[in-house]
Amino acid sequence: MKEVESMSRAEWQVMRIIWTLGEATSKQVIEILERKTEWKAATIKTLMIRLQKKHFLKAEETKRPYIYQPMIQEDDAIHESVNELFDSICCMRKGTAINDLIENSDISQKDISKILETLNKKAQTAPEEVECDCLEADLD
């Protein structure tokens, strides 16, 4: 698995465009990001080159213009990124973080139904309380 935590916020924006389109030329990415941001074409090209060096993006170089394709699936990148974040949060605070995320996110009715289904299933085996995992159990 590639190390998604090495992807900058700006690089995520480039990847989101390519994931949405499935593949794209640098011109397409530049046109979209110039409308959404104040970035210049050179900055966007630099981001794309960095993503290639990190093996998140590949260029089909047999044709002109180059066609860029993701080397990591969006779902895999999201999964890895979320797990990386949650691995750094105290077990006792993860529920609060998830609640905060839900309260502050635009999510569809379909997603809400899926979340409720998952929570109902999780509730069947969840402990009454989750213990803090910040300190080692055997400190003495």
Side-chain angles (χ1 to χ4, degrees):
M1 179 69 62
K2 294 166 184 48
E3 301 212 2
V4 172
E5 69 270 8
S6 72
M7 200 183 318
S8 70
R9 292 181 90 163
E11 290 167 345
W12 270 94
Q13 288 192 54
V14 171
M15 290 301 296
R16 286 175 49 202
I17 291 166
I18 294 172
W19 283 322
T20 300
L21 296 175
E23 61 182 26
T25 64
S26 59
K27 182 180 179 187
Q28 289 173 299
V29 175
I30 289 166
E31 286 174 357
I32 293 167
L33 284 173
E34 282 183 334
R35 286 194 310 262
K36 290 178 65 172
T37 68
E38 295 181 9
W39 301 344
K40 303 290 182 222
T43 301
I44 298 164
K45 286 180 185 175
T46 298
L47 291 169
M48 294 177 76
I49 290 167
R50 283 187 197 156
L51 287 163
Q52 282 182 278
K53 288 179 181 175
K54 293 178 180 181
H55 304 287
F56 292 117
L57 202 55
K58 68 178 177 181
E60 176 57 55
E61 298 178 0
T62 58
K63 304 176 199 165
R64 290 283 193 171
Y66 293 169
I67 305 289
Y68 292 87
Q69 299 171 326
M71 293 181 69
I72 184 171
Q73 296 299 312
E74 183 175 18
D75 287 346
D76 293 339
I78 291 168
H79 179 79
E80 185 179 331
S81 180
V82 167
N83 283 323
E84 178 71 24
L85 171 65
F86 272 77
D87 284 348
S88 66
I89 297 174
C90 174
C91 281
M92 293 175 59
R93 304 285 181 242
K94 288 181 182 180
T96 302
I98 292 167
N99 192 66
D100 185 60
L101 185 63
I102 291 170
E103 283 184 342
N104 294 296
S105 298
D106 292 329
I107 52 178
S108 69
Q109 290 289 328
K110 182 179 175 184
D111 287 338
I112 291 169
S113 292
K114 179 71 175 155
I115 292 166
L116 288 171
E117 180 183 318
T118 302
L119 285 173
N120 285 326
K121 199 180 301 178
K122 190 82 171 171
Q124 295 173 12
T125 59
E128 187 68 31
E129 285 186 29
V130 177
E131 291 187 26
C132 177
D133 63 347
C134 298
L135 303 175
E136 293 293 328
D138 296 327
L139 292 176
D140 30 47

